[in-house]
Amino acid sequence: QKEVEQDPGPLSVPEGAIVSLNCTYSNSAFQYFMWYRQYSRKGPELLMYTYSSGNKEDGRFTAQVDKSSKYISLFIRDSQPSDSATYLCAISQGGSEKLVFGKGMKLTVNP
Amino acid sequence: KAGVTQTPRYLIKTRGQQVTLSCSPISGHRSVSWYQQTPGQGLQFLFEYFSETQRNKGNFPGRFSGRQFSNSRSEMNVSTLELGDSALYLCATKRGGTDTQYFGPGTRLTVL
């Protein structure tokens, strides 16, 4: 079983739609959860960072962590064409442990 | 504050050659991690250096190696290149511990 599973998509939605991106993980020792956004031909950029279970909101983005189900989500409200990118979840046990990434979901928001 | 810098941005090599990639971290960041990104495998962790010592290592063959200098700049080397080594190589830096990582733009390596 892979440490992190993420549906690679692709996902295509109309502008203004609510987008839901998800990852599951297998190791309950993971404590830190991140979402990165990667535009074409660029390096990933950190979008959201959470530590505990629950929700964290930042503008149109909401990150949700459910440790009991080992499930993390990223919601994008009022999606815009500029949100078109690949979204990667990343998790870590913390400390000096490495980040483990999902394969990434390619999102296209159509005007 | 300047971001993570990677050089070169693009590289074309032939099988059997070797290559060295460079990463300059954000000022104050002492941890440098290297990743290989391919369409099929996604982002795969190569290794991490912290204070000039390799702290973590992924599941890659010994042809992949790295080092870190006293100014925290890091290099990775791939010897005896294979076609399958064609990928985007990314480095990511952080201050240390649980701090979040910041990625550079990557080096696109093509092996012919």
Side-chain angles (χ1 to χ4, degrees):
Chain A
Q1 184 183 12
K2 290 195 176 230
E3 289 184 288
V4 183
E5 300 272 9
Q6 181 178 14
D7 181 352
L11 179 64
S12 181
V13 301
E15 184 175 353
I18 296 174
V19 176
S20 171
L21 307 170
N22 310 294
C23 288
T24 58
Y25 61 95
S26 57
N27 188 344
S28 57
F30 289 125
Q31 300 182 62
Y32 298 88
F33 308 92
M34 286 141 274
W35 286 94
Y36 283 82
R37 177 175 62 193
Q38 185 175 21
Y39 290 114
S40 181
R41 302 185 189 282
K42 303 275 189 182
E45 59 175 322
L46 181 66
L47 205 53
M48 300 286 281
Y49 172 78
T50 55
Y51 168 67
S52 57
S53 280
N55 294 351
K56 181 176 181 179
E57 195 172 311
D58 184 2
R60 296 184 295 109
F61 298 89
T62 299
Q64 191 173 79
V65 175
D66 182 348
K67 285 188 176 181
S68 62
S69 302
K70 301 190 185 68
Y71 194 86
I72 63 175
S73 302
L74 177 71
F75 298 96
I76 307 174
R77 290 184 301 281
D78 188 25
S79 55
Q80 302 294 307
S82 59
D83 295 328
S84 298
T86 295
Y87 290 81
L88 303 110
C89 61
I91 57 178
S92 170
Q93 294 183 43
S96 62
E97 293 300 315
K98 64 181 184 183
L99 276 183
V100 180
F101 283 84
K103 282 201 172 182
M105 159 77 87
K106 184 171 182 179
L107 171 68
T108 301
V109 181
N110 301 299
Chain B
K1 174 153 110 166
V4 179
T5 307
Q6 289 188 247
T7 56
R9 292 293 311 279
Y10 302 92
L11 210 45
I12 299 175
K13 292 285 187 178
T14 56
R15 279 181 299 174
Q17 288 187 307
Q18 76 164 20
V19 66
T20 299
L21 312 181
S22 178
C23 174
S24 294
I26 293 170
S27 177
H29 286 198
R30 294 166 62 195
S31 164
V32 177
S33 295
W34 288 90
Y35 295 85
Q36 181 194 68
Q37 188 175 34
T38 59
Q41 299 299 317
L43 260 169
Q44 292 186 284
F45 174 76
L46 280 154
F47 29 66
E48 180 199 7
Y49 285 86
F50 182 81
S51 294
E52 302 179 66
T53 301
Q54 189 178 87
R55 186 157 74 170
N56 280 304
K57 188 177 189 310
N59 296 323
F60 277 81
R63 299 186 297 108
F64 292 82
S65 63
R67 59 178 176 168
Q68 187 179 32
F69 302 95
S70 58
N71 62 358
S72 294
R73 189 177 72 84
S74 177
E75 288 181 347
M76 70 161 279
N77 183 277
V78 188
S79 62
T80 320
L81 284 165
E82 300 177 359
L83 295 178
D85 296 333
S86 294
L88 180 67
Y89 289 88
L90 293 155
C91 82
T93 77
K94 61 180 183 176
R95 286 176 296 179
T98 58
D99 292 336
T100 53
Q101 290 190 352
Y102 295 87
F103 281 84
T107 295
R108 173 79 57 187
L109 172 65
T110 302
V111 182
L112 302 176

